[in-house]
Amino acid sequence: MTATRLANRALVRLAPLEEGESVSAFLQGLLTNDVTGELPAYAALLSAQGKTMFDMIVWPGRPCEYGETMLLDCEAAVADDLVKRLSLYRLRRKIEIARDESLSVHWIARSDGEHPVDPRLPALGQRWLAEADEGEAADDAWLAHRLSLGVPEGQAELGDILWLETNAVELNGVSFNKGCYIGQENTARMNWRQKVNRRLVVVPLDRSEEKRRKAEYPEQGYAVDHLRVADIPGDLMPDWLDQPLVE
């Protein structure tokens, strides 16, 4: 049986605690993407300056007594930090924010329609949630597959980088029509001015620039570099970046 469980991922559950409270409205004012439409959706929580703090995939949860719930598929290593950060923004809203240990994230490289395709890029394969289990983990296969497609992910690779410099537009991670959210002003200005001077690029490790390196994966032979657009060789551009990069 093919391993599918992503042990390095965790789920944060948001649920209303009284009638009239809306989890989607709460997240809509915080995250980069529209979470009131079709889900799953790729999104991020940014700093006020528009830099990446947490990236995630937003899923609908099972309804509770008081209405809709939502699940944030995020790195397990930063899940508790994400809970704390979201709790700071909750103020007096009656919303429960906590890790959900009852579910796990699963992935498979094929795209046969059995499960939802990854909202970032169909070539990433299918992704779904299931009851938590201790089955064989697929994290190494997922990492190799993701890096081979040139898709950055997670705090080590994206942390403290301007959201549009992570290729968020091309990976369906931002909505420019949803209204305000944290970091929206700088993000919208960069898009309006077409001013993306740097990009995150997955490169072969032997072609990585140490001073520009965000993360490295010797076993896979890749690194993630933060490079000036003008300095990115054409053969290092991923196929899904089918439009000219703007400097």
Side-chain angles (χ1 to χ4, degrees):
M1 184 175 179
T2 303
T4 64
R5 183 174 64 92
L6 297 182
N8 291 333
R9 303 294 291 185
L11 290 157
V12 171
R13 180 176 180 267
L14 291 88
L17 295 175
E18 65 177 30
E19 293 287 349
E21 188 60 84
S22 171
V23 169
S24 60
F26 171 67
L27 289 176
Q28 188 78 342
L30 298 176
L31 303 183
T32 59
N33 216 340
D34 186 352
V35 299
T36 64
E38 185 176 353
L39 297 178
Y42 182 50
L45 180 63
L46 308 181
S47 70
Q49 294 75 35
K51 294 185 177 182
T52 312
M53 297 177 67
F54 304 92
D55 70 316
M56 67 202 75
I57 294 177
V58 184
W59 295 83
R62 295 171 181 167
C64 69
E65 178 183 0
Y66 298 111
E68 64 173 2
T69 69
M70 300 187 107
L71 295 161
L72 307 181
D73 165 0
C74 65
E75 288 181 280
V78 302
D80 291 338
D81 293 333
L82 177 57
V83 169
K84 291 177 183 177
R85 176 61 60 172
L86 291 173
S87 297
L88 290 176
Y89 298 128
R90 177 177 51 189
L91 301 176
R92 296 184 179 180
R93 299 190 70 159
K94 302 300 182 181
I95 295 174
E96 180 185 33
I97 305 172
R99 288 179 68 146
D100 188 336
E101 306 286 358
S102 69
L103 296 170
S104 55
V105 179
H106 292 257
W107 160 83
I108 197 164
R110 68 174 186 264
S111 298
D112 57 12
E114 184 178 357
H115 302 288
V117 295
D118 193 296
R120 290 166 289 186
L121 189 70
L124 284 171
Q126 297 174 90
R127 201 176 185 98
W128 70 98
L129 309 181
E131 298 300 319
D133 63 59
E134 297 299 325
E136 185 180 354
D139 296 272
D140 289 343
W142 162 249
L143 176 62
H145 184 67
R146 175 175 68 81
L147 292 174
S148 73
L149 292 171
V151 178
E153 173 183 274
Q155 205 166 73
E157 299 173 23
L158 310 181
D160 209 34
I161 300 294
L162 291 166
W163 186 229
L164 296 194
E165 293 183 354
T166 72
N167 306 312
V169 173
E170 295 77 11
L171 293 172
N172 304 308
V174 59
S175 169
F176 296 107
N177 302 312
K178 67 181 286 287
C180 295
Y181 55 87
I182 296 172
Q184 182 264 345
E185 185 175 352
N186 280 350
T187 303
R189 184 184 300 115
M190 285 180 67
N191 181 67
W192 180 69
R193 293 181 177 177
Q194 292 287 285
K195 197 68 174 177
V196 180
N197 295 321
R198 297 182 184 275
R199 293 272 181 167
L200 284 179
V201 185
V202 178
V203 302
L205 187 55
D206 60 2
R207 295 178 65 181
S208 173
E209 297 183 29
E210 186 174 358
K211 292 183 179 179
R212 302 298 181 190
R213 190 180 302 156
K214 287 287 292 179
E216 61 180 284
Y217 303 94
E219 292 186 4
Q220 287 76 24
Y222 288 110
V224 179
D225 287 7
H226 187 214
L227 302 175
R228 286 182 53 83
V229 169
D231 297 335
I232 303 175
D235 65 326
L236 294 183
M237 296 292 189
D239 293 340
W240 45 267
L241 272 174
D242 58 356
Q243 58 186 23
L245 299 185
V246 178
E247 183 180 13

